[in-house]
Amino acid sequence: MNGEELTEQETALYDRQIRVWGADAQRRLSKSHILVYGMKGTAAEFCKNIVLAGVGSLTLVDDGAVTEDALSSNFLILPDENVCAEKTVAELCCNSLKVFNPMVRVSVEKGDLSSFGGDFFDRFDVVIVSCCTLMTKKSINEKCRKLSKRVAFYTVDCRNSCGEIFVDLQKHIYTKKKLDENNQPTTVECELQYPSFQESISVPWRTLPRRVSKLYFAMRVIERFEEAEGRNPGEISIEDLPAVLKLKKEICEAQSMNESHIPNALMERLVMGRREFPPVCAIIGGILGQEVIKAISGKGDPLQNFFFFDAMDGKGVIENISYPSLCN
Amino acid sequence: MASLHHANVVKGATVLMVGAGGIGCELLKTLALSGFQDIHIIDMDTIEVSNLNRQFLFRQSHVGQSKAKVARDAVLRFRPHISITPYHANVKDSNFNVDFFKQFSVVLNGLDNLDARRHVNRLCLAAEVPLVESGTTGFLGQVTVHVKGKTECYECQPKPAPKTYPVCTITSTPSKFVHCIVWAKDLLFAKFFGDKNQENDLNVRSSDASNSSEHAEDVFERRNNEDIEQYGRRIYDHVFGYNIEVALSNEETWKNCTRPKPIYSGDVLPENLNHQNGNVDKSRATDDLSSVSSMASLGLKNPQDVWSLTENSRVFLESLKLFFASREKEIGNLSFDKDDQLAVEFVTAAANIRAASFGIPLHSLFEAKGIAGNIVHAVATTNAIVAGLIVIEAIKVLERDTDNYRMTYCLEHPSRKMLLMPVEPFEPNKSCCVCSKSPLSLEINTHRSKLRDFVEKIVKAKLGMNFPLIMHESKLLYEVGDDLEDDMIANYTANLEKVLSELPSSVTGGTMLTVEDLQQEFTCNIYIKHREEFDEEKEPDGMVLSGWTRAPDKKDDNKSVGNGGSTSKASPTEAQKAVELDEISEGTEISGKKRKRPEVSTNETNNHNEVQKVDVVDDEDDELVMLDHWDTDNKKKRLQ
Ligand SMILES: [Zn+2]
């Protein structure tokens, strides 16, 4: 690392977390630039975590207006501001986040992220997209991958009491602690190779291990449904269930997978829950925060490459969905 | 989850949160967002700067204010129409009694210390209110559910006693940096700046060895007209030089240990420092505790740097000088405080000089402060995750969804692909003296131990009672309370000084004592076994409580694991470590055992932790992870 030291103020504020990840990681964090697109409850949780952690800057993109839905799980939007509703969701969140940590620059970028060119993404070290279409996910992921520097890419979604994180760190080099042959702790360097979102979701289902989280499949069905129907993300309700189940059947047939593998009850829960369940936002936003800190600091095993949480069974599971050649 | 049918139980619930710190801030936010409308929150703490990195409801401008009150105001800004009742108070206060607890549908703990956790556990049992308990350290966390009669209580699994080090390890044969810190903080710092009259092994040692008590008696006294630098150097040479020489002369000690080397100030520092440092005595003299710093006056900037022996020696002398120059009034009644910069500097330097003498690697002030102050590693993300898990369990508890209660571990390294691992709760432990009223037995010398020893070491320290009442058959031997008659108080005070066998109702081998805490509504029967002798090193209390508390041999196990945490052959798996995690927590008050955890977790390297104790019930659709029942589990731990 370059020799710049943390200021006295930083050391005092970040004391407890420096004890977790070290001063070196804290310095890297303070130089990192994060972009977040789509400000619902899970993204709000993530932003809080990363602002507290002390990143260099955070840029928010969400031109949406404040609605009941937006308010339901987003603690960054204060209802009284809602009255003077000239502001976008991103602007309101930005105002709240700024005061969480004066050492982090929080700003808003307006516009449709999927229309932004590569130059725009080049300004960031980490790009997170939430609540966006399959198309948008793929295209932003590809733009990040074309840049000369590594930009870590994440998608995060929460539907009802289920959450999903996708991670693409491209080629990630990091260090971790290990015991050597004499049982003494040492630091070793590791390297991981990640598939893109497109590559990941095109892995044939039948080639995946039987125990892969059912949520993985269920989320892909919903994604495909919204795309086929031209819906905005989350623009789905219980009336859509028959059509969703029909699509599920078709996809399962095409993938040579028994359709009972994706329970209808699970599909029903995902279709019904346009609102996020706040405890799940906190959990998913927390895991995502930790992963982004790992990616920036280059310390510790990052998750590879999907994470799922379902409040119903309480499990938080990592799934590696990639072609066998990419697995290591 | 997240469906309409539980909206009603959430709206109708009255929730008590204990703790508005790291977990508490996250929890209050998530409860409010999840639709809870009547939340009470107790916290006795005020806001500090080092809270701000994770306790996101607080700002710099709130430093010094009540956590409970500021947290309430912050959450009301985004949920103005709910009711949040803050109490800036200690949960152990007598007004938080069983009746108080009975008004709640569920109690949620985000506490930082074992004592308060045990206290709340008892009140919840007595009031028959379900409890969701939690703890985090670094990236590790856990959430457990305690419902009377359905699941184990918080105390069903005995909590290990705070780690103590054998006296001789601290005074004569330190092998780890923590030993040097304990020596510097509890012996040297206390000797210099604390109550001079207190017994102190530092003195005992040197006088024992030298046999010239006169010399040892006043060595720490500053002589009349003694220059402060002279004084500092004299102490330095005595403690790091002379005392080591004396110790070396006892060959017996060094048979199996590396011999330390004495260090004299003249070896590491030039003769006269004053001229080099300029005049610092008066220029920095101010009443502000934090502004007096030897690092500042010596131009040492980065607390993360590891200082050389020379630098440590300078800091040692400089801190001593500054204490006498700027804070002379406090000398004699100071106790170590991790937020007292000068105290931390003094302890860091002294520990490092001692470490150098014993060939132990030196540490930075930042690290030394963490060890000396028992500072817990804490990040916002783990607290947020744990808060989410608490709310999920709280909703299940409100829905009486007993079959789906889970305890959940947040792991740093995945186990069976899981970062969040739910486990079925254990049944109540039938031999738990707290929830199953199972009696305990106490080995004690009834002719030598006083009632006071019993009250301090067993009733308060081990059983965690605040307002104890001790009975033998129908005779009251001791009682604490606000409304006692004067003659009763005199009577009890007299009893405290009596040995057990000479109490008005003689307590001897075979006696059954009843100990009760009226506030906690917790009663415990203790069967007394008389025993003549106790091992001073292994049983320093001079009494051994068993039945429910961990047997003393377990403590030895801990010691042997101590060196480096995971270097023992049977390195604990992530899940096992998580199982022990409830001792570790947000906040600053932790026992020594807790401090061991972060060491283990940073050394944790094994990426494929196979969870030996975990059986997976491999049903087609819904796999469920189960841990062994607690008593087999305990046996396994003991076997390691
Ligand atoms: Zn119990």
Side-chain angles (χ1 to χ4, degrees):
Chain A
M1 270 330 280
N2 51 40
E4 276 181 62
E5 284 174 4
L6 297 170
T7 63
E8 222 169 287
Q9 191 193 6
E10 285 171 318
T11 309
L13 176 63
Y14 302 133
D15 182 281
R16 298 302 186 268
Q17 67 200 37
I18 292 173
R19 294 180 192 282
V20 177
W21 52 59
D24 196 47
Q26 190 65 50
R27 274 191 294 271
R28 292 186 198 212
L29 276 173
S30 68
K31 291 186 171 51
S32 65
H33 305 286
I34 320 283
L35 175 72
V36 176
Y37 175 59
M39 287 302 297
K40 284 176 76 180
T42 311
E45 286 281 349
F46 166 76
C47 290
K48 171 208 65 190
N49 294 335
I50 210 78
V51 166
L52 291 173
V55 293
S57 77
L58 171 65
T59 305
L60 310 177
V61 185
D62 191 330
D63 294 344
V66 177
T67 61
E68 276 291 303
D69 270 6
L71 276 170
S72 74
S73 56
N74 189 334
F75 60 93
L76 298 176
I77 304 174
L78 310 180
D80 52 340
E81 286 177 337
N82 187 19
V83 184
C84 49
E86 293 301 289
K87 288 181 173 156
T88 65
V89 168
E91 285 169 331
L92 293 171
C93 291
C94 176
N95 290 342
S96 294
L97 285 165
K98 271 181 181 164
V99 288
F100 284 1
N101 186 347
M103 284 188 260
V104 178
R105 292 187 304 283
V106 189
S107 61
V108 170
E109 196 75 46
K110 294 211 172 186
D112 175 13
L113 197 66
S114 51
S115 68
F116 289 6
D119 293 355
F120 176 77
F121 296 100
D122 200 39
R123 288 158 45 193
F124 302 99
D125 304 293
V126 177
V127 170
I128 285 144
V129 301
S130 181
C131 316
C132 59
T133 62
L134 181 57
M135 273 293 289
T136 311
K137 285 181 185 176
K138 287 183 192 170
S139 88
I140 295 175
N141 188 198
E142 288 313 317
K143 281 174 191 164
C144 291
R145 289 194 144 238
K146 286 204 181 88
L147 298 170
S148 55
K149 79 170 192 200
R150 194 282 302 267
V151 175
F153 173 83
Y154 298 82
T155 76
V156 59
D157 285 288
C158 180
R159 288 171 190 265
N160 201 333
S161 54
C162 299
E164 176 186 83
I165 298 172
F166 164 79
V167 185
D168 175 13
L169 301 182
Q170 302 175 43
K171 188 171 107 176
H172 183 59
I173 297 166
Y174 64 102
T175 58
K176 67 171 177 180
K177 296 248 173 79
K178 205 185 171 91
L179 293 185
D180 66 13
E181 57 274 19
N182 301 321
N183 245 350
Q184 290 305 305
T186 64
T187 305
V188 291
E189 195 172 272
C190 311
E191 184 184 319
L192 287 175
Q193 198 70 46
Y194 282 75
S196 70
F197 188 70
Q198 170 70 53
E199 284 165 342
S200 219
I201 62 169
S202 39
V203 175
W205 289 5
R206 63 180 180 283
T207 67
L208 293 171
R210 191 179 60 89
R211 321 254 344 201
V212 165
S213 170
K214 295 166 189 357
L215 252 182
Y216 170 72
F217 304 110
M219 291 295 274
R220 302 288 80 75
V221 172
I222 299 281
E223 217 167 54
R224 290 272 295 276
F225 178 82
E226 286 177 349
E227 186 182 47
E229 297 276 311
R231 307 276 184 91
N232 287 323
E235 214 176 74
I236 196 166
S237 71
I238 192 73
E239 281 82 57
D240 295 313
L241 187 61
V244 168
L245 293 180
K246 184 165 164 283
L247 179 65
K248 180 193 93 169
K249 191 164 185 257
E250 286 164 21
I251 298 173
C252 285
E253 271 165 17
Q255 294 275 6
S256 319
M257 193 172 84
N258 189 332
E259 69 150 328
S260 67
H261 198 70
I262 316 174
N264 286 351
L266 175 59
M267 296 308 309
E268 189 179 333
R269 282 167 59 216
L270 294 180
V271 164
M272 275 169 57
R274 59 181 293 130
R275 285 195 180 174
E276 298 166 297
F277 184 41
V280 176
C281 296
I283 291 165
I284 292 288
I287 298 280
L288 182 62
Q290 287 177 357
E291 288 304 317
V292 167
I293 290 163
K294 281 190 219 166
I296 296 169
S297 63
K299 269 190 175 176
D301 294 307
L303 71 81
Q304 204 184 15
N305 57 347
F306 276 90
F307 177 81
F308 298 95
F309 179 78
D310 185 349
M312 206 71 144
D313 62 15
K315 283 184 217 162
V317 187
I318 298 170
E319 298 291 358
N320 188 349
I321 313 282
S322 50
Y323 280 102
S325 63
L326 280 165
C327 296
N328 30 11
Chain B
M1 281 290 130
S3 53
L4 286 173
H5 66 268
H6 74 226
N8 289 330
V9 302
V10 164
K11 277 198 183 119
T14 303
V15 179
L16 175 65
M17 281 178 55
V18 191
I23 294 172
C25 279
E26 294 287 340
L27 182 56
L28 187 59
K29 171 256 307 163
T30 305
L31 284 173
L33 289 174
S34 304
F36 285 84
Q37 313 219 321
D38 187 6
I39 307 167
H40 295 237
I41 180 161
I42 303 177
D43 198 313
M44 66 188 289
D45 284 343
T46 52
I47 296 158
E48 293 174 27
V49 172
S50 63
N51 300 149
L52 303 177
N53 81 316
R54 61 197 189 287
Q55 302 178 11
F56 76 100
L57 299 175
F58 310 145
R59 308 280 163 268
Q60 189 76 41
S61 59
H62 296 135
V63 169
Q65 297 181 39
S66 153
K67 285 189 176 180
K69 289 179 181 164
V70 174
R72 168 191 183 269
D73 296 346
V75 168
L76 287 183
R77 292 189 66 206
F78 63 85
R79 282 294 179 273
H81 304 301
I82 66 172
S83 159
I84 303 176
T85 313
Y87 306 85
H88 182 202
N90 188 336
V91 68
K92 287 173 154 185
D93 290 350
S94 56
N95 46 325
F96 303 125
N97 54 16
V98 173
D99 284 335
F100 174 84
F101 272 71
K102 276 193 171 140
Q103 63 182 305
F104 300 104
S105 332
V106 63
V107 174
L108 313 176
N109 267 359
L111 277 163
D112 63 1
N113 69 89
L114 185 65
D115 260 8
R117 285 191 166 109
R118 291 169 67 175
H119 185 81
V120 173
N121 180 47
R122 289 162 193 192
L123 282 159
C124 286
L125 285 168
E128 306 207 20
V129 178
L131 168 67
V132 182
E133 174 62 70
S134 68
T136 66
T137 184
F139 293 117
L140 303 176
Q142 77 168 28
V143 173
T144 53
V145 185
H146 307 283
V147 182
K148 191 175 183 178
K150 300 266 197 300
T151 68
E152 63 174 11
C153 82
Y154 175 69
E155 294 175 272
C156 274
Q157 300 203 42
K159 305 291 174 267
K163 173 117 187 163
T164 51
Y165 298 96
V167 174
C168 70
T169 305
I170 301 304
T171 55
S172 320
T173 54
S175 57
K176 296 198 288 178
F177 188 66
V178 61
H179 301 149
C180 302
I181 287 283
V182 172
W183 176 86
K185 182 179 80 157
D186 294 348
L187 298 183
L188 195 62
F189 182 86
K191 185 77 214 164
F192 264 118
F193 308 114
D195 184 355
K196 292 259 192 284
N197 298 321
Q198 233 162 29
E199 268 181 60
N200 191 316
D201 280 312
L202 197 66
N203 217 13
V204 174
R205 279 288 141 178
S206 47
S207 63
D208 269 358
S210 66
N211 251 346
S212 72
S213 53
E214 180 196 358
H215 173 70
E217 271 311 297
D218 51 20
V219 72
F220 285 93
E221 280 297 319
R222 190 172 165 189
R223 293 171 191 155
N224 280 346
N225 298 327
E226 187 175 23
D227 172 68
I228 183 66
E229 165 136 8
Q230 259 174 16
Y231 171 61
R233 280 181 179 257
R234 187 168 58 78
I235 296 296
Y236 187 110
D237 291 345
H238 179 85
V239 189
F240 301 111
Y242 172 78
N243 274 359
I244 300 287
E245 304 260 20
V246 172
L248 279 169
S249 65
N250 184 359
E251 287 299 329
E252 199 60 19
T253 320
W254 310 110
K255 270 192 194 154
N256 302 312
C257 309
T258 0
R259 299 167 65 91
K261 75 171 198 303
I263 301 174
Y264 291 92
S265 62
D267 304 344
V268 288
L269 293 173
E271 272 315 308
N272 200 336
L273 285 174
N274 259 343
H275 298 297
Q276 298 192 349
N277 296 332
N279 179 17
V280 290
D281 294 22
K282 296 281 175 262
S283 59
R284 303 203 125 251
T286 139
D287 289 336
D288 184 3
L289 197 97
S290 58
S291 68
V292 183
S293 154
S294 55
M295 272 179 79
S297 57
L298 293 173
L300 295 165
K301 291 222 172 62
N302 190 349
Q304 313 265 353
D305 287 341
V306 179
W307 303 325
S308 66
L309 176 57
T310 304
E311 284 168 322
N312 276 296
S313 304
R314 283 183 193 278
V315 172
F316 180 84
L317 294 178
E318 185 68 20
S319 326
L320 200 63
K321 191 189 287 180
L322 288 172
F323 264 117
F324 277 90
S326 321
R327 298 173 55 183
E328 194 156 16
K329 278 189 217 120
E330 298 167 67
I331 295 174
N333 41 42
L334 266 172
S335 54
F336 178 81
D337 174 356
K338 66 173 169 37
D339 297 317
D340 180 343
Q341 172 70 15
L342 195 55
V344 172
E345 290 168 349
F346 176 85
V347 165
T348 303
N352 272 327
I353 301 165
R354 186 165 173 85
S357 176
F358 282 85
I360 296 165
L362 309 196
H363 285 65
S364 69
L365 176 121
F366 181 81
E367 293 165 310
K369 179 179 171 181
I371 300 168
N374 282 342
I375 297 175
V376 174
H377 305 195
V379 284
T381 49
T382 318
N383 290 336
I385 295 167
V386 159
L389 294 168
I390 294 172
V391 176
I392 290 171
E393 289 311 315
I395 292 172
K396 290 185 208 166
V397 164
L398 294 172
E399 290 176 326
R400 304 277 178 267
D401 187 6
T402 317
D403 292 344
N404 285 312
Y405 294 167
R406 292 289 178 271
M407 35 190 198
T408 308
Y409 300 108
C410 306
L411 309 177
E412 189 172 2
H413 305 285
S415 171
R416 294 176 183 273
K417 300 196 301 189
M418 279 181 273
L419 278 178
L420 303 176
M421 189 172 79
V423 172
E424 262 207 274
F426 300 137
E427 290 186 347
N429 172 8
K430 292 192 177 57
S431 60
C432 173
C433 85
V434 182
C435 69
S436 300
K437 312 274 178 222
S438 171
L440 301 170
S441 78
L442 178 72
E443 293 174 74
I444 189 167
N445 187 327
T446 53
H447 303 306
R448 234 182 285 156
S449 293
K450 292 177 180 168
L451 184 64
R452 178 184 295 284
D453 301 324
F454 175 71
V455 170
E456 294 299 328
K457 291 171 181 170
I458 300 296
V459 178
K460 289 191 178 160
K462 291 267 166 37
L463 299 179
M465 292 186 177
N466 289 327
F467 292 99
L469 177 154
I470 301 171
M471 275 193 308
H472 178 206
E473 283 154 2
S474 59
K475 257 220 152 74
L476 260 172
L477 297 175
Y478 182 70
E479 192 179 0
V480 176
D482 302 329
D483 47 359
L484 299 177
E485 306 280 339
D486 286 350
D487 57 331
M488 298 287 275
I489 295 175
N491 201 356
Y492 294 141
T493 314
N495 280 354
L496 278 179
E497 303 311 323
K498 291 179 181 154
V499 298
L500 297 185
S501 58
E502 284 162 15
L503 284 164
S505 167
S506 174
V507 173
T508 53
T511 299
M512 185 70 95
L513 280 181
T514 301
V515 186
E516 196 176 337
D517 186 301
L518 296 175
Q519 188 197 1
Q520 298 174 346
E521 294 197 8
F522 166 46
T523 307
C524 184
N525 290 316
I526 304 178
Y527 179 75
I528 302 293
K529 289 181 190 166
H530 174 78
R531 186 173 133 193
E532 276 297 320
E533 297 297 331
F534 290 88
D535 184 325
E536 268 181 45
E537 282 291 329
K538 287 181 181 162
E539 301 155 338
D541 286 347
M543 47 189 95
V544 178
L545 187 70
S546 56
W548 156 79
T549 317
R550 211 171 275 248
D553 59 313
K554 176 64 191 169
K555 275 191 195 161
D556 290 341
D557 285 359
N558 288 343
K559 276 181 207 156
S560 65
V561 180
N563 196 7
S566 55
T567 49
S568 67
K569 256 185 265 162
S571 138
T573 66
E574 189 84 23
Q576 278 171 312
K577 285 189 287 154
V579 169
E580 289 171 13
L581 201 123
D582 43 1
E583 309 114 39
I584 327 209
S585 51
E586 252 298 321
T588 51
E589 252 182 86
I590 55 165
S591 70
K593 180 72 176 19
K594 292 176 206 167
R595 194 167 62 220
K596 223 180 73 191
R597 282 300 308 275
E599 275 176 39
V600 177
S601 63
T602 44
N603 287 347
E604 173 56 48
T605 50
N606 188 350
N607 202 11
H608 3 203
N609 310 287
E610 279 172 51
V611 184
Q612 298 147 354
K613 294 191 306 149
V614 176
D615 296 325
V616 172
V617 181
D618 200 347
D619 284 340
E620 238 323 279
D621 234 36
D622 206 24
E623 53 191 283
L624 184 60
V625 181
M626 292 197 303
L627 290 177
D628 290 348
H629 190 259
W630 82 275
D631 49 8
T632 44
D633 166 319
N634 240 15
K635 260 179 235 149
K636 280 186 189 171
K637 277 188 199 162
R638 256 175 228 185
L639 285 174
Q640 280 180 10

